[in-house]
Amino acid sequence: MTANSYGFDTLAIHAGQEPDPRTGAVVPPIYQTSTYAQDAVGAPRLGYEYSRSSNPTRDALQECLAAIEGGRRGLAFASGLAAEDTLLRAVCRPGDHVVIPGDAYGGTYRLFAKVAENWGLDWTAVPLDDLDQVRAAFRPGHTRLIWAETPTNPLLNVADIAALAALAHEYDAMLVVDNTFASPYLQQPIGLGADVVVHSTTKYLGGHSDVVGGALITATDDLGEMLAFHQNAMGGVNGPFDAWLTLRGIKTLGVRMDRHCDNAERIVGYLGEHVAVESVLYPGLESHPGHETAAKQMRRFGGMVSFRAAGGPEAAIQICNRTKLFVLAESLGGVESLIEHPGQMTHLSAAGSPLEVPADLVRLSVGIESVDDLLADLEQALG
């Protein structure tokens, strides 16, 4: 099944998920097995030998991921960072260079600064919405990747995917896009020129805060084959039950994202008028510097909202501590609403670096609850 022949919601429900040929089960079985009986020496049945290498439940998820992102090959991993690490070590070599966002996710920054750098990979952080700065950061012959997030976590900056792809390809580099915040329902980077899409499937794809996982989706078969080799050789795969949970979440991705967006838009309007809020960061606002780009490449503007507290860092922390329905927790993209203080939670690893986030920043992952209840919770928390 491909995006050329079916709509998004049809692909989310059916791609890679044909009824089981043996029993007719309409939901893919959980193949909770480590190994497989072979018909003869050198003749594995249907190609299955060992579940690190391949597993039917994971294969179903991978086929679905490729379909909903409009890619050629999907690969599922134990976490988003396992996917990122596999990609970096597959396509880069010691001495190579990567351009990353000036406000990258804290875990991605930690991977580059504390792990990949020790392996010999160099990197430069620049604001990816400024193409002149991106071009200036390039080291011809050494820059292997532009690593983009759009919208970024947690400042919700927006980068022009098509423009970054053209720039990367001009220098014989690749564009990698972390599409976790938008999800494939709201944005499909491969169709805009990206070479690889990265996801933490823990977030919107799984959607229920009950599974950890990651994914890579490639624009070409050759790149997909190379990454599949490294997926098996490095072994950071997700298990069959995790793959099954993620598939279950994907089935409702479209309808969930519409509700996330509806609720987020109401909350943005409320926060923008509250005296306890200094400013609201959301690509759907016409005042947002990336609004026109987001409107061009996204279906809607997502369920993630950040704001800066008028009372400063201590006020931001107190707001986080006072909510009732908004659960104080890391992660995002689940059906329940979450609130966090990025500076002391998800982005603590960037403290003291050029990627440090403002101490008065609050990040909301707006869930799908009744929006009036969420607004009432914010009212009492904001005081």
Side-chain angles (χ1 to χ4, degrees):
M1 301 183 73
T2 67
N4 295 327
S5 54
Y6 292 98
F8 182 90
D9 291 311
T10 302
L11 293 171
I13 293 169
H14 293 287
Q17 301 169 78
E18 295 296 323
D20 179 55
R22 180 170 175 265
T23 65
V26 298
V27 174
I30 303 170
Y31 284 89
Q32 195 69 44
T33 184
S34 61
T35 192
Y36 305 83
Q38 301 189 23
D39 293 329
V41 173
R45 192 173 306 172
L46 299 177
Y48 290 104
E49 302 171 318
Y50 187 61
S51 275
R52 171 174 40 77
S53 303
S54 56
N55 174 279
T57 314
R58 189 166 71 244
D59 287 349
L61 171 59
Q62 294 180 152
E63 184 176 338
C64 185
L65 289 167
I68 62 176
E69 275 289 7
R72 296 296 301 173
R73 185 77 178 262
L75 300 165
F77 294 83
S79 69
L81 284 168
E84 292 186 11
D85 182 49
T86 301
L87 174 60
L88 287 177
R89 288 196 280 163
V91 303
C92 296
R93 298 292 178 269
D96 283 347
H97 173 252
V98 180
V99 178
I100 71 170
D103 56 340
Y105 163 57
T108 298
Y109 164 75
R110 183 176 56 226
L111 178 64
F112 276 98
K114 306 298 184 183
V115 179
E117 187 174 305
N118 293 335
W119 177 64
L121 185 65
D122 202 3
W123 55 276
T124 303
V126 299
L128 296 188
D129 56 355
D130 187 331
L131 291 177
D132 290 336
Q133 289 198 52
V134 177
R135 185 181 293 275
F138 254 80
R139 302 175 188 173
H142 293 281
T143 300
R144 182 64 172 146
L145 304 173
I146 298 176
W147 188 287
E149 295 175 23
T150 182
T152 59
N153 178 7
L155 296 179
L156 295 166
N157 288 316
V158 174
D160 188 324
I161 295 171
L164 288 175
L167 180 56
H169 298 157
E170 178 184 339
Y171 288 94
D172 198 28
M174 292 191 292
L175 175 64
V176 176
V177 177
D178 184 336
N179 201 30
T180 298
F181 262 34
S183 86
Y185 180 71
L186 299 182
Q187 180 174 271
Q188 294 182 321
I190 287 174
L192 297 168
D195 299 284
V196 186
V197 170
V198 176
H199 279 282
S200 169
T201 59
T202 309
K203 313 304 194 297
Y204 285 111
L205 288 166
H208 294 80
S209 302
D210 57 7
V211 63
V212 173
L216 301 174
I217 301 94
T218 66
T220 66
D221 290 318
D222 288 347
L223 183 55
E225 190 64 28
M226 182 181 72
L227 291 175
F229 172 85
H230 284 80
Q231 178 196 40
N232 177 51
M234 296 166 68
V237 299
N238 67 350
F241 185 50
D242 292 344
W244 185 88
L245 284 171
T246 306
L247 268 176
R248 185 190 64 170
I250 288 173
K251 289 177 184 289
T252 59
L253 179 61
V255 293
R256 284 189 287 107
M257 291 309 301
D258 279 334
R259 183 62 171 269
H260 285 299
C261 293
D262 289 344
N263 285 357
E265 289 167 8
R266 286 279 305 277
I267 286 171
V268 165
Y270 165 79
L271 291 173
E273 298 179 353
H274 202 288
V275 296
V277 175
E278 179 68 27
S279 61
V280 181
L281 311 179
Y282 186 67
L285 291 169
E286 291 186 4
S287 59
H288 188 286
H291 175 72
E292 288 188 13
T293 300
K296 177 179 67 175
Q297 64 193 21
M298 298 178 72
R299 185 195 301 250
R300 293 182 70 181
F301 301 104
M304 299 302 299
V305 179
S306 292
F307 66 91
R308 300 185 72 167
E314 186 58 35
I317 292 170
Q318 289 305 313
I319 291 166
C320 292
N321 287 338
R322 283 198 295 259
T323 57
K324 308 294 185 185
L325 280 178
F326 280 87
V327 179
L328 180 61
E330 298 188 4
S331 198
L332 59 102
V335 292
E336 62 288 304
S337 293
L338 304 179
I339 190 170
E340 70 137 355
H341 184 264
Q344 295 193 28
M345 296 173 70
T346 53
H347 289 68
L348 183 60
S349 62
S353 81
L355 279 73
E356 183 173 6
V357 299
D360 59 359
L361 190 73
V362 175
R363 191 191 74 180
L364 305 177
S365 175
V366 180
I368 65 172
E369 300 95 337
S370 299
V371 69
D372 289 339
D373 296 329
L374 296 176
L375 291 168
D377 189 34
L378 288 172
E379 176 67 23
Q380 65 82 24
L382 289 166

